[in-house]
Amino acid sequence: MNITTIKSIKDIPQEENLSPGTPTCAGCGGLLSLRHCLKVLGEKIVVVNAAGCFTLLAVYPFTPFKSSWLYTAMACAPAGAQGIRDALDILIRKGRLDSKENLKVVVLTGDGVAYDIGLASTSGALYRNLDFYYICSDNEAYGNTGFQSSGATPFASKTGTTPIGRISPTGLELSKKNLFEIWRSHTPPYLATISPAHPVDLINKFKKAEQYKGPKLFINLSPCPAGWVTDPSHSAKFARLAVDTGIWALKEAIYGEVKHTVVPKSFKPVEEYLKGQGRFAHLFKPVRQEETLKRIQEMVDQYWDNVCSRESRKR
Amino acid sequence: MIKEMLTGNAAAAWGVRLAEVDYVPAYPITPQTEIIEMLARWISNGDVDTKFVTLDSEHSMITAAGAASATGVRVFTATSSQGLLYGFEMLYTVAGWRVPLVMVNVSRALSSPITLEPDHNDILAARDAGFLQIHCETCQEVLDSVLIAYRLAEDERVLLPVLINMDGFHLSFTREPVEVPDREQVVRFLPPYRPKHAFFKASQPMAQGTAVIGGSGYSYFKYQMHFASMGALDVYREVSEEFGRLFGRSYNTTEGYMIDDAEYILIMTNSFSTLGKAAVKRAREKGVKAGLLRLRLLRPFPELGIKEAIRKAKAVAIVDQNISVGKGGILYSEISSVMYNEKERPLLLSFIGGLGGKTISSEEFEFIFDRMIEAVDTGVGKVPYLLYTEMEWKEMEKLKNVAGKGNKNYSNCRGETHNITEHGKE
């Protein structure tokens, strides 16, 4: 199938399906991406939401969406998507709803839901090959409750539940769950990571996903000024640094086959990304935690060593 | 119309088949499984045009059911016990969506200790969620209740989901003769589902379940649900009358048995009421003016019906097949609250029996009537009694011996040398 891809930022569709003036924090990386996602998804969608920052997008009687919205509960947005998808299919098949009235079903969650409490219901929806979009806004912690550690929180991050103290100078001692691989093991037709700093890549991925029936999943690394303790005007900068340092790999998997879509020509040191973020400040002050910094760099290097060797073998 | 020997579960499945339900999201749990297996079989044979999906948990199942209902199809699902509790969060959510979902709960006692047999702690835990609750005594009533429930839930004055309750094992697996009406007959009562309220479609964007911040929105919507539920009492009466006209059977919000001149009344729900009715008959033979009031609708709570039925009695014994730990019987509290402001009111006694499927024997019912007569003599009600026979006590001692706990002295919780042990004395 021919997919029209866009080449530059100038080709991004002009239409807006998300009104300005939402109650999200200034510089919300999740919202930056969501705006772009909705440009491709269009108006004929129903957003199924689980508890998270985006729940507060629609506060009675206002909604910033041109489309429909259903808030479910924290653990079960994919199950809500199942009910709506099945019901629409039934209504259309039985001739009780015009197919023009059909909707794309889009699950919108944060990382707390996607990595933790909602993992079972997502796995169920993937297993059932549900025809839906899933967008995870990953700000690497429970942001809406004030930034506590989640399954998406990276090693050495400071959060409300992994504070820096005499006994724990490092912050979180665990590593971020690999949600991409968890989802990939279900071999959905389309799975990708996206970034608000790469809107062209993002839009092309959504356009590509459109052609597949079944689960289409996106993990968006969403800079969170409130939790990351960064300046709201620096969100795009940190999103870009995450890609340039190799910490956030932009990739896609079509039926499980992985391809990296943006590979930096030369990787910047991870320090450039970590520095300037309040959640990692303890790695630099009052003393530089050399061991920890080294370990983070090694984790990133190891990942890319595997990628390059694997992909070069393919060539 | 045909008459068949059906279990309670099969009767529920037949109700669903006759209601021409579009969608059944399911998750198995004993003793509810027979309902969804029957439906799955019919769907697989093409006997019904329904979509069946197995979900990953009851939590997901109730979510999918509610969301499909919000999208405009007729939906059914069923669960039991732990399953109902696992999906508990979504009961409140789905009720708040104001969708006409119908769900059967096959009552089963709750962990721990884990068991399979019925009592009503599962269904009564759900009483504040916003679902209407219909409690059934017979298999016929189960089938009829499914049809009544859709009429009730889909009525624009109500638009609340309905839970239909039947006892696990005692009703779910008991075969009784059940009249299965023809579909043509049912259509006159329950036409195909064509919702007029908002549902999801492209030309009419709609935001459902949005956040409300500040409290005033929340209070408003919750109170609207309360109004709708209270209003459902009148709608129920209408629907039940029409059902009676068409099918020759009707069910009031409460059912009185030998109650008109009764001085000593049992209050019960569900299938054990049949045991209660037999006990009433035996008591009448002995000259005790006994009667029974069965609560069929638990939410909305039929306060007026209850007041009217028991006001003139001398004593009323509420037999709770549930235990609110640290308080006692749940229905006892509910009935007390209804009667407190009445000038004319009977003595109320509380009995807890039939927990975890333990039967209530005739001697236990005799004990209940004796305590009622005694209370009228002394002028004091007494709460609560745990019903336990001497034989059951011996059996329990034996089990404790096997478990190695038999040598310790537990007799302090045994009470008197009565054939029934009394508990909960203050």
Side-chain angles (χ1 to χ4, degrees), chain B residues 153-220:
Chain B
E154 289 167 9
D155 192 291
E156 282 178 65
R157 292 166 289 177
V158 179
L159 277 181
L160 282 169
V162 179
L163 266 163
I164 298 167
N165 196 61
M166 75 169 112
D167 284 328
F169 294 82
H170 292 254
L171 200 60
S172 67
F173 298 142
T174 296
R175 267 172 216 279
E176 290 175 349
V178 174
E179 275 188 19
V180 181
D182 308 324
R183 176 61 200 157
E184 295 73 51
Q185 217 181 341
V186 171
V187 168
R188 267 179 288 159
F189 175 73
L190 182 70
Y193 184 46
R194 299 288 181 268
K196 289 196 198 85
H197 59 87
F199 49 87
F200 291 114
K201 57 180 176 184
S203 61
Q204 194 184 49
M206 167 181 81
Q208 269 275 56
T210 54
V212 282
I213 305 293
S216 63
Y218 186 82
S219 309
Y220 173 81

Side-chain angles (χ1 to χ4, degrees), chain A residues 82-156:
Chain A
Q82 181 84 42
I84 296 176
R85 181 69 269 150
D86 287 341
L88 287 168
D89 290 346
I90 291 165
L91 289 171
I92 291 166
R93 183 177 62 76
K94 292 189 174 178
R96 275 148 60 188
L97 194 73
D98 196 307
S99 57
K100 279 185 287 191
E101 296 280 11
N102 202 2
L103 298 165
K104 291 175 195 160
V105 185
V106 181
V107 165
L108 191 58
T109 73
D111 55 274
V113 163
Y115 286 71
D116 297 336
I117 192 171
L119 192 52
S121 76
T122 313
S123 172
L126 292 175
Y127 163 70
R128 294 185 299 268
N129 202 33
L130 178 67
D131 187 25
F132 77 131
Y133 293 82
Y134 188 126
I135 303 167
C136 163
S137 179
D138 181 359
N139 64 3
E140 306 197 308
Y142 286 88
N144 200 32
T145 41
F147 215 73
Q148 298 81 26
S149 129
S150 81
T153 305
F155 169 68

Side-chain angles (χ1 to χ4, degrees), chain A residues 190-221:
Chain A
Y190 195 81
L191 162 61
T193 55
I194 52 177
S195 160
H198 290 265
V200 174
D201 178 70
L202 181 156
I203 284 187
N204 284 333
K205 281 173 172 167
F206 269 86
K207 279 175 170 263
K208 200 174 206 174
E210 256 178 2
Q211 66 184 311
Y212 299 104
K213 200 168 179 333
K216 299 166 270 281
L217 310 134
F218 301 85
I219 313 172
N220 178 49
L221 184 72

